[in-house]
Every structure is written in C-alpha cells, then in structure tokens.
Amino acid sequence: MIETCALCHNIDVVIAQPRFKSVTDTQDETRVLDCSILEDAVAEARKYNFDLYIDLHGVFQSALFGAICGIRTRLGRSKETAKDGASLFYTVIAEVKEKELNRMERHFIITRKILKNVKPVYIQVKKKDYITIFPGSSKKGILKRWSTDRYIKIANKYRDKYYVRMVLGPEESDLVRYIRNRIDIDIVECNSWEKISELISESGIVIGNDGAFVHLAVWKGIPSIMICGPLSPVVNGIWKYGIGQTISVPKHCICNYLWQGKCDYNHYCIDKITVADVIKAVSRLEIYLNERI
C-alpha cells in the first residue's frame, strides 16, 4: 500500500498502521482488543496536527485511528454503509446509505461533504496504438480470473491492428509459460507499481479482470474493459466518470469462500462471459474513441 500511495505525487507523507488482529481472547466474559500496536503510528500522526481526517474505508479501526490521533474534524459515512460502529467516531457524517454504489463515486460523495469543489479530472482522450491485457490476479483473488485461453483469443484478434501485450504481476508467474507456449506476443513481467503505472499510461485500451491493475487504469482515465465475476460490477466496475465498459453476467453471485479460492457455483459468473462479449465491447469503445479524438 505504501508503494501504491507513492504513485500519487500530491501525498506528502504516508503513515502506515498495523492491522488489528481478530479478537479471540476474553477476560471476565469481555472481549479483549489490544490497541497498543497502533502506538507508533498514532504518535507519528499527532506530530502533524492534522486539521481534517477523511475516512474512506469506513471500518472500526480506520475511524478509531482519526479519533485517537486527536484530529478535530473527522469525516466518514453513515451507519448504513460504515461497519462495526465506525460512524460513532466521526464529527461530520456523509449520508451514504446505498450499498450497491461504485466505490470511487462513494469516495467523491464523502469527500465533497466538506470539500465542495472536488471534482473528477477531465479526461482528454489521445489515440494510442497499445492494447494492454492484464490476464492475472492475486493468488487470493484467483476466482476473479477469466480464462487465459480467451485472453489469448482476444490478443490474436487484435494483434494485426494494435500492438498487443500482456502484463503479469509477481503473483501471476504461473501464467507466463502457458501464454508463451500458445502465442507469440510481448509478455511483460512486472513487480513495480511505478512500471505498471507507466505501461497503463501509454495504453490506448486496457483489458483485464476486476483487479488492481484495471482499477488503476480506470482511475488514470485510460479507456478500459473490465471483466467482472464474483464481485459486484456496480461497486467494483468502471464508474460513471470513467471511459469503457464493465462486462458481467446479468446476476452476479457472491461466493462464500471467494478469498479461499473455492466456488460454490462452478465459476458460472465469469465463465459465461464470452470472447464475443469482449470483442463487442472493444468495438463500441473504438467507435466512442474515434468520435472523441
């Protein structure tokens, strides 16, 4: 997360806080929560005498942190979408009651409760010849992967028209040999967020799963196609100020064991998305971009 924050050059300081462990101990039938792990992070934050704390995360620890740092104005969202009583620690509350709301849009609603003039950056589209495909995912989110063979078909479809490349992060090395044995295109193995950001910025179109790389592309204003599976395409998909399309089945499922890599529904939510669906989305995006440029 520190490396990710470094991509934004408007951030002056990053104060990392450790995550609370799950509460398992009890004392006289009372649950015991040890806050001492936050001591160093709180001491560091107090040095800066911050005027405003905006909690976009909306959980108990993130809300508590602003309070114990002594920051006078603490902004967060209402109890309907905050978790674990987080809203008790805010001095200013943005009414965000709708759970099926795009995350980035939700961030703007919260922030604009106080900073009224904050608005999305205008996206100026420029014609670029690169299609960058992100076919992987983290090991934990492996159920969010679309079929590698289908990505290869997409690459074959557009390789004569565009410069097509596949980019893989450090948790996706298992795909490298498989892809190289089936298609002769540029495969970039990357373990640096700075490099990933550069590759995205020079892309004309980004295609990939519902993962960090495509989210970054959307938020950088790069035309993107997101293939969304077990998680909500509304919450996680391309927001209304982005360029591109989120592709999903009409009714998304929520696997109880998604983050353990177990699917109760035979991977239906993402396997039902076809190569033709993505090609149609690319065609629509090309028409839109030609009109904008």
Side-chain angles (χ1 to χ4, degrees), residues 1-278:
M1 291 303 297
I2 293 173
E3 188 182 353
T4 308
C5 289
L7 295 174
C8 178
H9 302 299
N10 295 312
I11 295 176
D12 297 309
V13 61
V14 176
I15 301 169
Q17 51 171 294
R19 182 180 295 179
F20 279 151
K21 297 177 181 177
S22 299
V23 176
T24 54
D25 296 335
T26 58
Q27 183 175 316
D28 297 329
E29 299 183 353
T30 299
R31 300 170 78 207
V32 179
L33 179 64
D34 182 6
C35 293
S36 63
I37 60 171
L38 298 179
E39 188 173 351
D40 291 341
V42 169
E44 181 70 13
R46 284 176 176 172
K47 292 178 186 176
Y48 293 92
N49 294 315
F50 291 114
D51 297 308
L52 172 62
Y53 184 76
I54 302 177
D55 181 15
L56 300 175
H57 202 42
V59 297
F60 175 78
Q61 178 170 338
S62 60
L64 173 69
F65 187 79
I68 60 179
C69 288
I71 302 171
R72 182 174 295 178
T73 304
R74 303 183 299 277
L75 168 64
R77 63 181 184 265
S78 52
K79 62 183 180 181
E80 289 84 1
T81 54
K83 295 180 181 179
D84 310 321
S87 55
L88 293 171
F89 296 96
Y90 305 137
T91 61
V92 181
I93 291 178
E95 294 293 327
V96 182
K97 298 179 180 180
E98 189 178 348
K99 294 184 179 180
E100 279 289 295
L101 180 66
N102 184 275
R103 276 203 179 94
M104 193 63 178
E105 186 176 346
R106 186 181 71 195
H107 294 345
F108 265 74
I109 292 171
I110 295 168
T111 304
R112 293 179 74 171
K113 176 72 176 179
I114 287 181
L115 304 177
K116 309 274 186 197
N117 293 327
V118 170
K119 55 187 177 182
V121 175
Y122 172 74
I123 299 170
Q124 185 175 2
V125 179
K126 297 180 180 178
K127 188 171 178 61
K128 300 172 186 173
D129 294 328
Y130 284 86
I131 284 185
T132 301
I133 297 175
F134 294 101
S137 68
S138 67
K139 296 293 186 186
K140 201 169 185 181
I142 201 162
L143 286 184
K144 296 198 290 182
R145 288 186 183 181
W146 194 46
S147 164
T148 307
D149 288 329
R150 295 180 190 180
Y151 278 120
I152 290 170
K153 288 179 181 178
I154 296 295
N156 272 322
K157 166 74 177 175
Y158 292 105
R159 62 192 302 190
D160 293 334
K161 186 176 182 181
Y162 296 93
Y163 177 80
V164 180
R165 64 189 171 195
M166 292 198 186
V167 179
L168 297 161
E171 293 189 64
E172 301 150 356
S173 56
D174 57 310
L175 298 178
V176 175
R177 182 181 296 178
Y178 184 88
I179 295 170
R180 282 203 173 121
N181 287 341
R182 285 159 179 79
I183 187 172
D184 182 22
I185 62 168
D186 190 11
I187 300 174
V188 183
E189 296 181 76
C190 198
N191 59 6
S192 160
W193 271 107
E194 197 70 46
K195 182 62 177 175
I196 288 288
S197 183
E198 289 175 11
L199 293 170
I200 289 172
S201 294
E202 65 187 28
S203 301
I205 297 174
V206 164
I207 303 172
N209 305 324
D210 164 21
F213 298 154
V214 180
H215 288 296
L216 180 58
V218 172
W219 297 335
K220 286 170 73 70
I222 304 300
S224 304
I225 293 170
M226 182 187 296
I227 298 165
C228 211
L231 297 180
S232 168
V234 176
V235 176
N236 291 353
I238 297 173
W239 71 319
K240 64 182 180 181
Y241 299 108
I243 299 174
Q245 183 180 339
T246 305
I247 302 177
S248 64
V249 295
K251 185 178 179 181
H252 72 274
C253 70
I254 300 175
C255 292
N256 293 323
Y257 305 102
L258 168 65
W259 302 112
Q260 284 80 46
K262 300 175 185 176
C263 179
D264 300 326
Y265 305 100
N266 207 24
H267 217 212
Y268 169 91
C269 61
I270 201 162
D271 281 349
K272 284 294 180 182
I273 297 171
T274 67
V275 171
D277 292 330
V278 177

